[in-house]
Structures are given as structure tokens and as C-alpha cells.
Amino acid sequence: MYLELQSFEMELKEMGKIIEKALDNYLPKSNEYPSKIHEAMRYSTFNGGKRIRPILTIKAAELFELPGEKVLPTACGIEMIHTYSLIHDDLPVMDNDDFRRGKPTCHKVFGDAIALLAGDALLTLAFRTIAKNAEIEGISLRAVIEVIDRISLASGSLGMIGGQTVDILSQGIDIDENTLFYMDNHKTGCLIRASLWSGARLAEAPASDLDKLDKLGEKIGLIFQIVDDLLDVHGDEKKLGKPIGSDVRNKKNTFLSIYGYEKSKKLVKVLSDESKEIASEFKNSRFFMQLIDFLVERQY
């Protein structure tokens, strides 16, 4: 298992390089006027990261025999949305974090106002970038329109922003399990689900397979969030690249605070088994099987 995970992490890094090269082409250069905003956008975009969401988009397309490079505009657009959400999450009015991935957060380097605008600019640029997928040979305009619709929904008040809103409004008060699942399925799961769905839709996957990938994305999103909750208390600060304990400081409701450590770990195992069962229904599911193990075992 250890050697397989090592090999898988190397594969992730190689794919990450491909995505970063594409992101470099889509983002304005840092010296383009007004340079400060472009420096901030690029600082956060290239501030490390596992690139899980764009990789999922690529791998979902490849499941249906569409070369991964043909969905790079959408993959990069999704990563821009993810990066914008992290910039805003770190702001003093949100989680008030000084470090991310071992480096000062955007607002600590560029100030609150520029960080806010950098997030806004990345969100806006994301949809322009996704629209460029219509220029790629073999990609239908109808598929691109449906992908834009899906990602917009996943990113907005009925998706990620909705989950973040519930997260903020729930700080310091007791919530039930249904609210916890709503919060995490939306603030984390929605964009992961959209990443898988979008890659497959651009590859003209059948509706039944799109539904399966949507369910897989929901379970992967929950695994990701529960492990995040566990690492925030039990993780290694050096590996995480940020101080632990921010959830406790911000009086947030998490799987750990509601279920406890052991029950949270058991839930991760159940979700892992269910995810693998769904993934096994696809040909060439090796990557997804290894991804699930990686997400369960990750230290950062």
C-alpha cells in the first residue's frame, strides 16, 4: 500500500505540472497592468496545492476515451474557482488564517482589499476559461453550456457558497447531523462532484454514468472534508503547512466535534468502501481506487 501511494503521489505531481502549465497560459502575466492584482492572483494559484479537482475533471474525461488535454480549459477554470474560495476563506472576516500550504495567505502578503479582489477576479476569469473549451476540436457547444451551468450551480448559493454560509451561521451553536451533512456536501462536495461530472459530460458520457460519477463525487467530497476535520486537530503542522486547531478557535461544527474521532474514522472507511464500489463499475478505474486510498491516508 505504501509503495502504491508513493507512486500515485508522483502521478498526481506530474499531472499537477500539466495543469500548472495550462494555468500559467490562462492567467494574466504578473507584470500586466494593474500588476498588483495579477501578482496576487498568481501568488495564490501557484501557492502549492494537490490540484485534485482539475485532475478529477481530466480523469473523468479519460474514462470515456476523451484525451485529458481536451478538457484543460474546464479543469483550469475549476481550479481558479477553488483558489478564489481559499483566498476568501482565509480572510479575517472568514477563517482569519495567516498561512496556507506553508506560505503566508494572500491577504497577509497583499492586504485584505487586494486579496478580496484577487478572489473576485479568479472567479470571473474561471468562466471565461471554461468557455474556451468550446474552441477545442471534438467538444460540443451544448456540452460546454451544460458544464458552465453545472459549475455555476455548484459554486453559488445552492452549492459551495450555500455550504459556507451554513458553516458561518452555525459557528458556536449546536447543529444536527442533517445540517452538518448539508454544510459539508455543499461547501466541499459540490465542486468535487462538478469536477467529475464536467469531465465526463465533455466526453459525451451517458446520463447513467454521469449519475454514477455524481454519487462518487459526493462520497469523495465527504471523505475529503472528514479527513480535513481530523487533520485540523490531529494533523502535523509541518505537513499541513498551516497551524492546526483553527476549527476549534472559530467554534466550528465538524465531524470530529459532533461524531468524535473513532466514529469519524469509521465513517471514512464506510465512504471509502462505497466509493470503491461505484468506481469499480467503470473500466480503467485504477486511478480512482488509488485516489480514494490517498484521500483516506493523506497527511496534508
Side-chain angles (χ1 to χ4, degrees):
M1 172 73 78
Y2 177 71
L3 289 175
E4 285 183 6
L5 283 177
Q6 271 195 321
S7 174
F8 180 76
E9 287 188 53
M10 288 180 64
E11 183 178 355
L12 284 184
K13 287 178 181 176
E14 289 305 310
M15 293 191 69
K17 290 177 183 177
I18 294 169
I19 291 160
E20 288 183 3
K21 184 177 179 181
L23 283 165
D24 184 47
N25 290 329
Y26 288 125
L27 285 165
K29 299 305 178 188
S30 57
N31 61 357
E32 187 169 339
Y33 187 82
S35 60
K36 189 60 68 177
I37 188 66
H38 299 139
E39 288 173 24
M41 292 165 67
R42 295 178 74 89
Y43 174 81
S44 290
T45 302
F46 297 112
N47 194 17
K50 295 176 283 294
R51 312 299 185 194
I52 294 295
R53 291 156 189 80
I55 289 172
L56 284 173
T57 303
I58 289 169
K59 286 298 183 179
E62 291 177 349
L63 273 181
F64 302 95
E65 300 181 356
L66 181 70
E69 63 267 21
K70 286 187 175 287
V71 300
L72 272 172
T74 295
C76 289
I78 288 171
E79 186 67 358
M80 290 176 194
I81 293 170
H82 176 56
T83 303
Y84 118 77
S85 74
L86 298 181
I87 293 173
H88 284 191
D89 276 352
D90 290 336
L91 286 168
V93 292
M94 296 280 282
D95 291 348
N96 195 24
D97 283 323
D98 292 346
F99 291 93
R100 182 171 290 278
R101 299 164 183 162
K103 298 176 183 177
T105 47
C106 190
H107 69 276
K108 297 304 290 186
V109 176
F110 297 94
D112 295 359
I114 294 297
L116 181 68
L117 292 172
D120 293 343
L122 282 167
L123 175 60
T124 308
L125 180 60
F127 288 100
R128 182 178 189 228
T129 305
I130 295 166
K132 289 183 179 296
N133 235 135
E135 301 171 6
I136 304 294
E137 185 179 355
I139 303 293
S140 77
L141 179 59
R142 178 68 185 178
V144 174
I145 292 170
E146 289 182 14
V147 162
I148 290 172
D149 178 73
R150 183 77 172 209
I151 294 171
S152 299
L153 182 65
S155 305
S157 63
L158 297 177
M160 180 177 67
I161 295 297
Q164 289 172 322
T165 300
V166 173
D167 190 9
I168 290 169
L169 296 176
S170 300
Q171 288 179 19
I173 64 172
D174 293 332
I175 62 172
D176 59 25
E177 293 179 7
N178 288 336
T179 304
L180 177 69
F181 275 92
Y182 176 93
M183 180 175 74
D184 289 335
N185 274 326
H186 286 73
K187 76 172 185 177
T188 302
C190 276
L191 198 56
I192 288 175
R193 290 166 64 185
S195 300
L196 280 166
W197 192 93
S198 297
R201 178 64 188 91
L202 292 171
E204 302 292 345
S208 59
D209 286 332
L210 290 173
D211 288 341
K212 289 177 189 175
L213 285 172
D214 189 55
K215 290 173 184 170
L216 177 62
E218 181 178 5
K219 293 182 186 300
I220 287 176
L222 278 172
I223 291 171
F224 200 100
Q225 185 59 57
I226 297 169
V227 172
D228 252 8
D229 291 351
L230 293 169
L231 289 174
D232 188 70
V233 175
H234 298 281
D236 184 328
E237 289 189 1
K238 289 183 179 178
K239 291 179 181 178
L240 286 172
K242 61 180 181 179
I244 63 172
S246 66
D247 289 340
V248 175
R249 287 193 301 274
N250 292 325
K251 299 180 180 179
K252 289 198 171 191
N253 286 284
T254 67
F255 276 91
L256 191 62
S257 68
I258 292 177
Y259 283 103
Y261 181 80
E262 291 301 328
K263 193 172 179 180
S264 295
K265 291 287 286 185
K266 286 178 182 177
L267 182 54
V268 169
K269 178 65 168 63
V270 170
L271 289 165
S272 171
D273 291 342
E274 291 174 348
S275 298
K276 288 182 176 181
E277 186 176 344
I278 297 171
S280 69
E281 297 181 35
F282 296 97
K283 294 186 299 182
N284 304 319
S285 61
R286 174 199 62 84
F287 175 86
F288 292 97
M289 297 295 192
Q290 291 185 324
L291 174 69
I292 293 161
D293 286 335
F294 168 76
L295 293 177
V296 169
E297 301 295 333
R298 70 189 175 95
Q299 304 282 310
Y300 59 95

